[in-house]
Amino acid sequence: MSPFSLLRTVFAAFVIGFPTHLAGQLILSEVYYDHVGSDNGYEWVEIANVGTTTVDLSTWSLGWGGSDYTYGTLQLSGTIAPGATFVVGGPISDPVNANPTYDLAIDFDPDIQNGGASADGIALFDVVAEDIKAASIPVDAVIYAGTNTNNLLDETGNPGATDVADVTNGWSIQRIDLEGTWAQNEFPSPGTLAFGLGSDTLLLSEVFYDPVGTGDDGLEWVEIINPGSTAVDLSSWSLGWGGLNLVYGQLQLSGTIAAGATIVVGGPVSSAANQNPSFDLAVDLNPDLQNSGAAADAVALFNLPASSVSASTVPVDVVIYGGTNSNNLIDETGAIGTVDVGDAASGQSIVRINLAGAWQIQNTPTPGIAAFAFGDPVTGVRILSVNTTTGTVQLEITLATAASVDIESSGNLAPSSWQPESTVALPAGTTTVSVTLSPVPDRAFLRVLESGP
């Protein structure tokens, strides 16, 4: 097994659609399916454990095919430690298939399909191989090559969109972020991830760009979170914003952000007009963040110093807000992004509600306090109110199906240490839940996830 390593620039953050609970989450991270010459004995699949506990693979399996995922199935075995990768396949290892070190050396029989006009897919299941059916919903899947004319299922149980185009033989398809973005990879890297987890993973979590009144100057702010497991030095990080591109305005960040913590950048004015933020980096955002209109605007986070960022630089994270993205602002993949959220009214903010990148308008901004959904069936979490005297936080939690969920917190009082706050059984749909944090923090990052077994 290999530890997570950072292969290239970190792209966006986490994924929604994880299995059940945060402890022991597995994802597909790279697939090598089209060898130079015959594929037999050379194909491999890389799996990553992005959870916090070791996973026993005796109940996990792979499936692949074009009509459904039962064309070929493979029972997995062994274990995957947290923060590790697991390479299955082969059993041949040579320079042409990038010299994989196999954790499970076994021939994919029949071979993984090479794609064509109709898409093919490979899927990861939390059931034994003999229980995989055509209608089984995978924990994770990558659909590749052509159009998904056979309605291969994604992690929601619905026909999925094609994730990545077909590759030239000798290339792999590789996941480039935890959100589930895939790309063609000319240089396969078995055992090494193309994204960071923990060491350099930061996200935008809330943006306040339009205070009540005629002037935004000195009142705007941006909240950033570190959902990873280690502190991040901000000297190589920067913000960018604009409407025509992401460098209309730029800000070099500084300081550090602890694991499981939030920081608030902006101001430097703190008043009731902007919900009294406590700034970690008090600096005027100059020029002001744009207030949007018919054409969308955006705020972006870069893992580069501001001096190294250009209009074509791909951000680690970005939120596109307001109207239509008529100026083709780019997202975390480098492609033209879709609008994430509408335009907030004066006095409101825009806030991230899950690690997958869903955003909503927040009626009452909450600088320094973030709350996210961490995996299915929790699809969204929004803070309705924060009582800074009692530490009571009112949450709006949305579930796809009824479940028991854990509410946990981390913050500047105990960064990187998740503290249980409440466990509650909730119905499908949206429910309001209150939790009281003690001692009362001025920073907090709350996560909501399905209770473990």
Side-chain angles (χ1 to χ4, degrees):
M1 296 183 187
S2 305
F4 278 7
S5 59
L6 188 62
L7 180 63
R8 56 178 70 105
T9 303
V10 179
F11 290 87
F14 286 68
V15 65
I16 191 167
F18 277 159
T20 58
H21 52 282
L22 185 68
Q25 291 175 346
L26 303 185
I27 59 172
L28 298 170
S29 49
E30 190 170 2
V31 179
Y32 181 83
Y33 63 83
D34 192 359
H35 188 63
V36 177
S38 172
D39 297 342
N40 190 40
Y42 290 94
E43 300 171 319
W44 51 261
V45 174
E46 179 189 87
I47 302 167
N49 180 357
V50 297
T52 57
T53 61
T54 297
V55 176
D56 178 355
L57 292 171
S58 62
T59 61
W60 290 78
S61 57
L62 293 171
W64 60 94
S67 297
D68 57 53
Y69 297 123
T70 63
Y71 170 73
T73 61
L74 176 66
Q75 177 61 49
L76 299 176
S77 62
T79 60
I80 309 183
T85 57
F86 187 97
V87 181
V88 55
I92 301 169
S93 177
D94 70 10
V96 183
N97 71 343
N99 296 302
T101 298
Y102 295 111
D103 300 285
L104 178 59
I106 187 168
D107 184 26
F108 283 100
D109 183 20
D111 290 338
I112 300 171
Q113 293 182 294
N114 286 349
S118 292
D120 296 301
I122 186 161
L124 179 66
F125 296 90
D126 190 7
V127 297
V128 295
E130 64 183 17
D131 289 341
I132 299 176
K133 305 293 189 285
S136 297
I137 299 173
V139 167
D140 193 25
V142 56
I143 300 171
Y144 57 91
T147 305
N148 187 11
T149 53
N150 290 318
N151 295 328
L152 292 166
L153 301 181
D154 64 13
E155 306 84 357
T156 70
N158 296 310
T162 300
D163 296 294
V164 60
D166 198 12
V167 294
T168 301
N169 53 23
W171 291 33
S172 69
I173 53 174
Q174 188 173 48
R175 193 186 200 112
I176 61 172
D177 60 33
L178 280 164
E179 190 176 8
T181 307
W182 288 76
Q184 298 168 315
N185 180 30
E186 184 178 0
F187 303 103
S189 54
T192 303
L193 295 182
F195 52 87
L197 178 68
S199 60
D200 269 332
T201 303
L202 301 183
L203 297 174
L204 299 169
S205 51
E206 190 170 1
V207 179
F208 181 78
Y209 61 82
D210 191 4
V212 175
T214 57
D216 299 345
D217 192 43
L219 293 169
E220 300 171 322
W221 49 262
V222 175
E223 180 189 87
I224 302 168
I225 65 162
N226 177 3
S229 58
T230 59
V232 174
D233 179 355
L234 294 171
S235 62
S236 64
W237 290 77
S238 61
L239 290 173
W241 59 92
L244 294 176
N245 55 48
L246 301 176
V247 294
Y248 166 73
Q250 293 180 276
L251 178 67
Q252 176 61 49
L253 299 177
S254 61
T256 60
I257 178 169
T262 61
I263 64 166
V264 182
V265 175
V269 178
S270 177
S271 71
N274 62 356
Q275 296 299 316
N276 300 295
S278 175
F279 293 112
D280 300 276
L281 179 58
V283 61
D284 185 24
L285 301 178
N286 183 27
D288 291 338
L289 304 179
Q290 293 184 292
N291 288 351
S292 198
D297 296 298
V299 175
L301 180 65
F302 297 92
N303 190 7
L304 286 170
S307 59
S308 299
V309 175
S310 69
S312 61
T313 302
V314 177
V316 167
D317 193 24
V318 64
V319 55
I320 302 174
Y321 59 91
T324 305
N325 187 11
S326 53
N327 289 317
N328 296 333
L329 295 164
I330 60 174
D331 63 15
E332 306 86 353
T333 71
I336 297 168
T338 58
V339 175
D340 297 295
V341 63
D343 191 14
S346 295
Q348 297 179 331
S349 67
I350 51 175
V351 62
R352 190 185 203 113
I353 62 169
N354 61 33
L355 286 166
W359 288 73
Q360 288 184 354
I361 293 173
Q362 177 86 349
N363 290 332
T364 303
T366 57
I369 309 291
F372 288 175
F374 263 66
D376 290 343
V378 189
T379 59
V381 178
R382 187 162 65 106
I383 298 173
L384 297 179
S385 65
V386 177
N387 187 317
T388 56
T389 301
T390 65
T392 299
V393 180
Q394 190 176 52
L395 301 173
E396 182 182 83
I397 302 173
T398 302
L399 271 64
T401 58
S404 176
V405 300
D406 294 333
I407 303 172
E408 301 175 345
S409 69
S410 177
N412 63 342
L413 297 180
S416 78
S417 176
W418 290 103
Q419 307 296 322
E421 300 291 349
S422 180
T423 298
V424 58
L426 298 178
T430 300
T431 307
T432 299
V433 176
S434 292
V435 60
T436 299
L437 308 181
S438 180
V440 179
D442 64 350
R443 293 281 189 279
F445 177 18
L446 289 84
R447 68 182 187 184
V448 180
L449 58 155
E450 186 175 15
S451 301

